[in-house]
Amino acid sequence: MELFMGNKHILFLALFFIASWGMQLSAVSATTKIRFGSNVLGNVSLNCHTKNGDPWTKVFKPFNGESWEISEATFCNVTSDEKGFIDTFAFYDPKRDSVRCPLSCLWDAVDFGVIGRPDEYLTPPDLFLDWKKTKSCRQ
């Protein structure tokens, strides 16, 4: 019985460390693959900032795209040399997209705006954003 009582503290410590390690793992953000492609003439700029305010911009030449990993809420606006602009929108929303597109989210700039679709090109788009015209946009 004494042997068991002495091991009780070791068992408690072991369980404590296992539980702590599990909490650290759950604190790590999951990432989602994002792909943005431009299917329009002229350059398309994706101007974004994260929930924490970190800004970044990517410029896409006509009929080109890029993929990258993302893990936090990100808000973007889109400008096109030829089509106009799209006001700031939730480009990646963990609450929405962890269910909608848990592995990869696809965005494409097309003639009528920007479309979002979950996971693969066979899936129909489920998010639609229309271009707005600007004075600098060619008609």
Side-chain angles (χ1 to χ4, degrees):
M1 185 74 169
E2 279 185 44
L3 180 62
F4 176 73
M5 294 303 281
N7 289 337
K8 182 169 74 171
H9 296 290
I10 294 171
L11 180 62
F12 173 76
L13 284 173
L15 290 173
F16 175 77
F17 285 117
I18 290 170
S20 297
W21 185 65
M23 284 189 273
Q24 288 174 349
L25 285 179
S26 66
V28 174
S29 297
T31 60
T32 297
K33 184 177 181 180
I34 298 289
R35 185 189 185 292
F36 187 91
S38 173
N39 295 310
V40 297
L41 295 174
N43 289 339
V44 173
S45 296
L46 187 62
N47 308 294
C48 303
H49 65 277
T50 63
K51 181 177 153 183
N52 296 326
D54 301 325
W56 53 271
T57 297
K58 291 183 182 284
V59 178
F60 299 89
K61 298 206 178 292
F63 308 102
N64 281 290
E66 184 180 338
S67 297
W68 63 95
E69 299 285 323
I70 199 164
S71 63
E72 62 182 314
T74 302
F75 306 91
C76 300
N77 66 64
V78 183
T79 57
S80 165
D81 294 346
E82 299 289 327
K83 297 294 180 182
F85 71 97
I86 294 174
D87 283 326
T88 302
F89 65 99
F91 181 69
Y92 179 73
D93 179 352
K95 289 180 184 173
R96 175 191 70 201
D97 296 331
S98 64
V99 174
R100 181 181 157 266
C101 49
L103 301 177
S104 64
C105 300
L106 307 176
W107 292 94
D108 286 300
V110 295
D111 282 336
F112 60 84
V114 171
I115 57 173
R117 71 180 80 227
D119 292 325
E120 58 183 71
Y121 285 105
L122 300 176
T123 306
D126 60 347
L127 297 173
F128 302 87
L129 305 161
D130 294 326
W131 293 115
K132 296 178 182 178
K133 295 291 184 183
T134 63
K135 290 180 183 178
S136 63
C137 180
R138 295 184 206 156
Q139 300 291 331

